[in-house]
Short mmCIF file of all heavy atoms in Angstrom, two decimals:
data_model
loop_
_atom_site.label_atom_id
_atom_site.label_comp_id
_atom_site.label_asym_id
_atom_site.label_seq_id
_atom_site.Cartn_x
_atom_site.Cartn_y
_atom_site.Cartn_z
N VAL A 1 -27.87 -47.13 -53.92
CA VAL A 1 -27.64 -46.06 -52.93
C VAL A 1 -26.11 -45.79 -53.02
O VAL A 1 -25.31 -46.72 -52.54
CB VAL A 1 -28.16 -46.56 -51.56
CG1 VAL A 1 -27.66 -45.46 -50.52
CG2 VAL A 1 -29.64 -46.68 -51.51
N TYR A 2 -25.77 -44.72 -53.55
CA TYR A 2 -24.37 -44.35 -53.73
C TYR A 2 -23.94 -43.64 -52.48
O TYR A 2 -24.19 -42.60 -52.19
CB TYR A 2 -24.05 -43.51 -55.02
CG TYR A 2 -22.70 -43.23 -55.28
CD1 TYR A 2 -21.91 -44.30 -55.80
CD2 TYR A 2 -22.09 -42.03 -54.95
CE1 TYR A 2 -20.54 -44.12 -56.09
CE2 TYR A 2 -20.70 -41.97 -55.25
CZ TYR A 2 -19.98 -42.93 -55.75
OH TYR A 2 -18.69 -42.76 -56.02
N LEU A 3 -23.12 -44.42 -51.70
CA LEU A 3 -22.65 -43.81 -50.40
C LEU A 3 -21.26 -43.27 -50.48
O LEU A 3 -20.36 -44.02 -51.16
CB LEU A 3 -22.67 -44.92 -49.26
CG LEU A 3 -24.12 -45.42 -49.00
CD1 LEU A 3 -23.98 -46.49 -48.01
CD2 LEU A 3 -25.05 -44.36 -48.45
N ASP A 4 -21.05 -42.10 -49.90
CA ASP A 4 -19.63 -41.65 -49.77
C ASP A 4 -19.49 -41.00 -48.42
O ASP A 4 -20.44 -41.13 -47.57
CB ASP A 4 -19.19 -40.69 -50.85
CG ASP A 4 -20.14 -39.46 -50.92
OD1 ASP A 4 -20.80 -39.07 -49.90
OD2 ASP A 4 -20.24 -38.80 -52.01
N ARG A 5 -18.52 -40.38 -48.02
CA ARG A 5 -18.19 -39.86 -46.73
C ARG A 5 -19.37 -38.76 -46.32
O ARG A 5 -19.49 -38.51 -45.11
CB ARG A 5 -16.87 -39.26 -46.53
CG ARG A 5 -16.56 -38.11 -47.37
CD ARG A 5 -15.04 -37.69 -47.20
NE ARG A 5 -14.28 -37.79 -48.36
CZ ARG A 5 -13.01 -37.86 -48.38
NH1 ARG A 5 -12.32 -37.99 -47.34
NH2 ARG A 5 -12.37 -37.94 -49.57
N ASP A 6 -20.02 -38.13 -47.40
CA ASP A 6 -20.87 -37.13 -47.12
C ASP A 6 -22.38 -37.69 -46.82
O ASP A 6 -23.14 -36.97 -46.22
CB ASP A 6 -21.05 -36.18 -48.22
CG ASP A 6 -19.88 -35.20 -48.33
OD1 ASP A 6 -19.38 -34.78 -47.27
OD2 ASP A 6 -19.46 -34.89 -49.44
N THR A 7 -22.56 -38.96 -47.22
CA THR A 7 -23.90 -39.54 -47.15
C THR A 7 -23.96 -40.64 -46.16
O THR A 7 -25.10 -41.06 -45.95
CB THR A 7 -24.40 -39.96 -48.51
OG1 THR A 7 -23.35 -40.76 -49.21
CG2 THR A 7 -24.65 -38.73 -49.39
N LEU A 8 -22.76 -41.13 -45.64
CA LEU A 8 -22.84 -42.37 -44.79
C LEU A 8 -23.89 -42.16 -43.58
O LEU A 8 -24.45 -43.20 -43.23
CB LEU A 8 -21.43 -42.57 -44.24
CG LEU A 8 -20.55 -43.41 -45.23
CD1 LEU A 8 -19.14 -43.39 -44.71
CD2 LEU A 8 -21.02 -44.78 -45.55
N ASP A 9 -23.88 -41.05 -43.03
CA ASP A 9 -24.72 -40.74 -41.93
C ASP A 9 -26.22 -40.37 -42.18
O ASP A 9 -26.89 -40.19 -41.28
CB ASP A 9 -24.11 -39.66 -40.94
CG ASP A 9 -23.96 -38.37 -41.61
OD1 ASP A 9 -23.93 -38.40 -42.84
OD2 ASP A 9 -23.90 -37.36 -40.85
N LEU A 10 -26.46 -40.33 -43.46
CA LEU A 10 -27.77 -39.75 -43.87
C LEU A 10 -28.63 -40.86 -44.65
O LEU A 10 -29.88 -40.83 -44.50
CB LEU A 10 -27.67 -38.56 -44.77
CG LEU A 10 -26.93 -37.27 -44.16
CD1 LEU A 10 -26.84 -36.33 -45.25
CD2 LEU A 10 -27.81 -36.74 -43.11
N VAL A 11 -28.08 -41.79 -45.22
CA VAL A 11 -28.74 -42.75 -46.00
C VAL A 11 -28.35 -44.06 -45.50
O VAL A 11 -27.24 -44.59 -45.52
CB VAL A 11 -28.34 -42.55 -47.53
CG1 VAL A 11 -29.25 -43.43 -48.30
CG2 VAL A 11 -28.61 -41.20 -47.96
N GLU A 12 -29.37 -44.96 -45.28
CA GLU A 12 -29.18 -46.38 -44.90
C GLU A 12 -28.69 -47.16 -46.05
O GLU A 12 -29.11 -46.98 -47.29
CB GLU A 12 -30.51 -46.98 -44.51
CG GLU A 12 -30.51 -48.42 -44.20
CD GLU A 12 -31.95 -48.99 -43.87
OE1 GLU A 12 -32.80 -48.14 -43.56
OE2 GLU A 12 -32.12 -50.11 -44.02
N ASP A 13 -27.68 -47.99 -45.78
CA ASP A 13 -27.11 -48.83 -46.83
C ASP A 13 -28.00 -49.92 -47.25
O ASP A 13 -28.41 -50.76 -46.42
CB ASP A 13 -25.83 -49.36 -46.49
CG ASP A 13 -25.10 -50.11 -47.56
OD1 ASP A 13 -25.39 -49.99 -48.71
OD2 ASP A 13 -24.24 -51.00 -47.21
N GLY A 14 -28.61 -49.89 -48.41
CA GLY A 14 -29.45 -51.01 -48.83
C GLY A 14 -29.95 -50.85 -50.25
O GLY A 14 -29.31 -50.16 -50.95
N HIS A 15 -31.04 -51.55 -50.64
CA HIS A 15 -31.58 -51.43 -51.92
C HIS A 15 -32.15 -49.99 -52.14
O HIS A 15 -32.87 -49.47 -51.29
CB HIS A 15 -32.73 -52.44 -52.17
CG HIS A 15 -32.30 -53.81 -52.13
ND1 HIS A 15 -31.68 -54.47 -53.15
CD2 HIS A 15 -32.36 -54.74 -50.96
CE1 HIS A 15 -31.39 -55.76 -52.75
NE2 HIS A 15 -31.85 -55.89 -51.46
N GLY A 16 -31.77 -49.35 -53.30
CA GLY A 16 -32.26 -48.08 -53.54
C GLY A 16 -31.78 -47.54 -54.91
O GLY A 16 -31.26 -48.32 -55.84
N LEU A 17 -31.98 -46.20 -55.09
CA LEU A 17 -31.71 -45.61 -56.44
C LEU A 17 -31.20 -44.14 -56.14
O LEU A 17 -31.65 -43.50 -55.30
CB LEU A 17 -33.22 -45.52 -57.21
CG LEU A 17 -33.12 -44.74 -58.50
CD1 LEU A 17 -32.30 -45.53 -59.48
CD2 LEU A 17 -34.49 -44.41 -58.93
N THR A 18 -30.18 -43.83 -57.04
CA THR A 18 -29.68 -42.56 -56.89
C THR A 18 -29.76 -41.97 -58.45
O THR A 18 -29.47 -42.59 -59.36
CB THR A 18 -28.12 -42.49 -56.61
OG1 THR A 18 -28.08 -43.10 -55.30
CG2 THR A 18 -27.62 -41.16 -56.53
N VAL A 19 -30.42 -40.76 -58.52
CA VAL A 19 -30.44 -40.03 -59.64
C VAL A 19 -29.54 -38.72 -59.44
O VAL A 19 -29.82 -37.93 -58.55
CB VAL A 19 -31.76 -39.67 -60.02
CG1 VAL A 19 -32.00 -38.61 -61.22
CG2 VAL A 19 -32.67 -40.91 -60.40
N THR A 20 -28.56 -38.55 -60.22
CA THR A 20 -27.81 -37.27 -60.18
C THR A 20 -28.29 -36.25 -61.30
O THR A 20 -28.53 -36.61 -62.40
CB THR A 20 -26.28 -37.49 -60.40
OG1 THR A 20 -26.10 -38.24 -61.72
CG2 THR A 20 -25.80 -38.60 -59.31
N THR A 21 -28.43 -35.03 -60.82
CA THR A 21 -28.78 -33.96 -61.70
C THR A 21 -27.51 -33.16 -62.05
O THR A 21 -26.74 -32.80 -61.13
CB THR A 21 -29.86 -33.09 -61.27
OG1 THR A 21 -29.55 -32.54 -59.99
CG2 THR A 21 -31.11 -33.95 -60.96
N VAL A 22 -27.33 -32.80 -63.32
CA VAL A 22 -26.17 -32.12 -63.71
C VAL A 22 -26.42 -30.90 -64.61
O VAL A 22 -27.34 -30.98 -65.45
CB VAL A 22 -25.35 -33.11 -64.56
CG1 VAL A 22 -23.97 -32.44 -65.23
CG2 VAL A 22 -24.81 -34.26 -63.86
N VAL A 23 -25.90 -29.77 -64.35
CA VAL A 23 -26.10 -28.49 -65.12
C VAL A 23 -25.16 -28.64 -66.28
O VAL A 23 -23.84 -28.80 -66.21
CB VAL A 23 -25.67 -27.26 -64.27
CG1 VAL A 23 -25.81 -26.04 -65.20
CG2 VAL A 23 -26.61 -27.06 -63.04
N VAL A 24 -25.80 -28.68 -67.49
CA VAL A 24 -24.89 -29.08 -68.73
C VAL A 24 -24.19 -27.87 -69.32
O VAL A 24 -23.18 -28.10 -69.95
CB VAL A 24 -25.87 -29.75 -69.79
CG1 VAL A 24 -26.39 -30.99 -69.34
CG2 VAL A 24 -26.96 -28.75 -70.24
N LYS A 25 -24.54 -26.68 -69.14
CA LYS A 25 -23.87 -25.52 -69.68
C LYS A 25 -23.49 -24.44 -68.46
O LYS A 25 -24.17 -23.39 -68.47
CB LYS A 25 -24.60 -24.82 -70.75
CG LYS A 25 -24.97 -25.66 -71.94
CD LYS A 25 -23.65 -26.04 -72.62
CE LYS A 25 -23.12 -24.93 -73.45
NZ LYS A 25 -21.92 -25.35 -74.46
N PRO A 26 -22.72 -24.93 -67.57
CA PRO A 26 -22.51 -24.08 -66.37
C PRO A 26 -21.80 -22.75 -66.72
O PRO A 26 -20.94 -22.76 -67.70
CB PRO A 26 -21.63 -24.90 -65.44
CG PRO A 26 -20.86 -25.84 -66.51
CD PRO A 26 -22.01 -26.17 -67.53
N ARG A 27 -22.18 -21.73 -66.04
CA ARG A 27 -21.55 -20.46 -66.16
C ARG A 27 -20.46 -20.14 -65.22
O ARG A 27 -19.61 -19.24 -65.41
CB ARG A 27 -22.49 -19.31 -65.95
CG ARG A 27 -23.76 -19.36 -67.08
CD ARG A 27 -24.88 -18.56 -66.63
NE ARG A 27 -25.99 -18.59 -67.57
CZ ARG A 27 -26.93 -19.54 -67.65
NH1 ARG A 27 -26.81 -20.59 -66.90
NH2 ARG A 27 -27.84 -19.48 -68.57
N SER A 28 -20.31 -21.05 -64.11
CA SER A 28 -19.33 -20.89 -63.18
C SER A 28 -17.92 -21.23 -63.79
O SER A 28 -17.85 -22.10 -64.65
CB SER A 28 -19.48 -21.84 -61.97
OG SER A 28 -20.77 -21.55 -61.44
N ARG A 29 -16.86 -20.58 -63.43
CA ARG A 29 -15.49 -20.78 -63.83
C ARG A 29 -14.63 -20.79 -62.70
O ARG A 29 -14.78 -20.27 -61.63
CB ARG A 29 -15.05 -19.65 -64.81
CG ARG A 29 -15.88 -19.45 -66.03
CD ARG A 29 -15.67 -20.81 -66.93
NE ARG A 29 -16.37 -20.67 -68.24
CZ ARG A 29 -17.54 -21.03 -68.56
NH1 ARG A 29 -18.29 -21.63 -67.51
NH2 ARG A 29 -18.10 -20.94 -69.64
N GLY A 30 -13.54 -21.65 -62.81
CA GLY A 30 -12.60 -21.83 -61.70
C GLY A 30 -11.22 -21.62 -62.35
O GLY A 30 -11.07 -21.05 -63.37
N GLU A 31 -10.23 -22.21 -61.54
CA GLU A 31 -8.83 -22.02 -62.12
C GLU A 31 -7.92 -23.17 -61.66
O GLU A 31 -8.31 -23.94 -60.64
CB GLU A 31 -8.27 -20.58 -61.59
CG GLU A 31 -8.17 -20.49 -60.06
CD GLU A 31 -7.44 -19.19 -59.63
OE1 GLU A 31 -7.02 -18.43 -60.64
OE2 GLU A 31 -7.26 -19.06 -58.38
N VAL A 32 -6.70 -23.31 -62.19
CA VAL A 32 -5.67 -24.20 -61.90
C VAL A 32 -4.42 -23.30 -61.70
O VAL A 32 -4.09 -22.53 -62.60
CB VAL A 32 -5.49 -25.23 -62.97
CG1 VAL A 32 -4.25 -26.09 -62.47
CG2 VAL A 32 -6.62 -26.04 -63.24
N ARG A 33 -3.83 -23.42 -60.49
CA ARG A 33 -2.60 -22.62 -60.34
C ARG A 33 -1.44 -23.67 -59.86
O ARG A 33 -1.72 -24.75 -59.48
CB ARG A 33 -2.80 -21.65 -59.20
CG ARG A 33 -3.78 -20.66 -59.45
CD ARG A 33 -4.05 -19.70 -58.41
NE ARG A 33 -2.84 -18.81 -57.99
CZ ARG A 33 -2.47 -17.74 -58.67
NH1 ARG A 33 -3.30 -17.26 -59.53
NH2 ARG A 33 -1.40 -17.08 -58.40
N LEU A 34 -0.30 -23.21 -59.98
CA LEU A 34 0.92 -24.04 -59.55
C LEU A 34 0.96 -23.93 -57.93
O LEU A 34 0.71 -22.90 -57.42
CB LEU A 34 2.21 -23.43 -60.02
CG LEU A 34 2.52 -23.79 -61.51
CD1 LEU A 34 3.92 -23.10 -61.88
CD2 LEU A 34 2.58 -25.18 -61.80
N ALA A 35 1.21 -25.07 -57.31
CA ALA A 35 1.55 -25.06 -55.99
C ALA A 35 2.94 -24.69 -55.61
O ALA A 35 3.24 -24.07 -54.60
CB ALA A 35 1.28 -26.54 -55.35
N SER A 36 3.83 -24.98 -56.54
CA SER A 36 5.20 -24.73 -56.43
C SER A 36 5.86 -24.95 -57.74
O SER A 36 5.33 -25.45 -58.80
CB SER A 36 5.91 -25.56 -55.33
OG SER A 36 6.06 -26.86 -55.76
N ALA A 37 7.23 -24.91 -57.87
CA ALA A 37 8.06 -25.09 -59.01
C ALA A 37 8.40 -26.63 -59.08
O ALA A 37 9.08 -27.08 -60.03
CB ALA A 37 9.26 -24.21 -59.17
N ASP A 38 8.04 -27.43 -58.08
CA ASP A 38 8.35 -28.92 -57.89
C ASP A 38 7.38 -29.58 -58.85
O ASP A 38 6.13 -29.65 -58.51
CB ASP A 38 8.30 -29.24 -56.53
CG ASP A 38 8.74 -30.69 -56.30
OD1 ASP A 38 8.88 -31.38 -57.29
OD2 ASP A 38 9.01 -31.08 -55.13
N PRO A 39 7.82 -30.32 -59.89
CA PRO A 39 6.84 -31.05 -60.70
C PRO A 39 6.12 -32.09 -60.08
O PRO A 39 5.00 -32.56 -60.51
CB PRO A 39 7.83 -31.63 -61.81
CG PRO A 39 8.99 -30.72 -61.80
CD PRO A 39 9.20 -30.24 -60.33
N SER A 40 6.61 -32.60 -58.86
CA SER A 40 5.96 -33.67 -58.08
C SER A 40 4.70 -33.20 -57.36
O SER A 40 3.86 -33.94 -56.91
CB SER A 40 6.89 -34.41 -57.26
OG SER A 40 7.32 -33.57 -56.19
N ASP A 41 4.58 -31.89 -57.27
CA ASP A 41 3.52 -31.25 -56.41
C ASP A 41 2.28 -31.21 -57.28
O ASP A 41 2.25 -30.92 -58.55
CB ASP A 41 3.81 -29.94 -55.88
CG ASP A 41 4.76 -29.84 -54.75
OD1 ASP A 41 4.86 -30.94 -54.14
OD2 ASP A 41 5.21 -28.77 -54.48
N MET A 42 1.06 -31.56 -56.75
CA MET A 42 -0.19 -31.51 -57.53
C MET A 42 -0.44 -30.10 -57.62
O MET A 42 -0.20 -29.13 -56.85
CB MET A 42 -1.27 -32.26 -56.65
CG MET A 42 -1.05 -33.64 -56.41
SD MET A 42 -1.53 -34.74 -57.87
CE MET A 42 -3.27 -34.89 -57.55
N PRO A 43 -1.24 -29.70 -58.68
CA PRO A 43 -1.64 -28.22 -58.87
C PRO A 43 -2.69 -27.90 -57.87
O PRO A 43 -3.33 -28.71 -57.36
CB PRO A 43 -2.14 -28.28 -60.36
CG PRO A 43 -2.60 -29.69 -60.61
CD PRO A 43 -1.67 -30.52 -59.78
N LEU A 44 -2.87 -26.56 -57.71
CA LEU A 44 -4.05 -26.13 -56.82
C LEU A 44 -5.12 -25.91 -57.68
O LEU A 44 -5.15 -25.14 -58.63
CB LEU A 44 -3.57 -24.77 -56.23
CG LEU A 44 -2.21 -24.78 -55.35
CD1 LEU A 44 -1.97 -23.50 -54.88
CD2 LEU A 44 -2.46 -25.67 -54.11
N VAL A 45 -6.27 -26.60 -57.36
CA VAL A 45 -7.45 -26.58 -58.23
C VAL A 45 -8.66 -26.02 -57.47
O VAL A 45 -9.02 -26.50 -56.29
CB VAL A 45 -7.90 -28.06 -58.66
CG1 VAL A 45 -9.09 -28.01 -59.55
CG2 VAL A 45 -6.60 -28.68 -59.41
#
């Protein structure tokens, strides 16, 4: 049972099984942008 902050209140912690489904050829597209000119800043994703 793979628990994270989204599932803690929904799934009891115990013996179980998680199957993840993945779209293998997604059509959705996103972007990466600069947060600033400071190299220490993480990019905007």
Side-chain angles (χ1 to χ4, degrees):
V1 171
Y2 187 77
L3 296 176
D4 58 21
R5 64 182 117 200
D6 289 324
T7 52
L8 279 172
D9 61 336
L10 297 176
V11 185
E12 176 186 339
D13 185 21
H15 297 280
L17 175 69
T18 299
V19 172
T20 60
T21 61
V22 179
V23 176
V24 294
K25 298 294 284 187
R27 297 165 181 82
S28 303
R29 296 293 184 268
E31 65 175 359
V32 179
R33 298 179 64 87
L34 284 180
S36 75
D38 185 347
S40 64
D41 285 344
M42 299 279 274
L44 302 177
V45 180

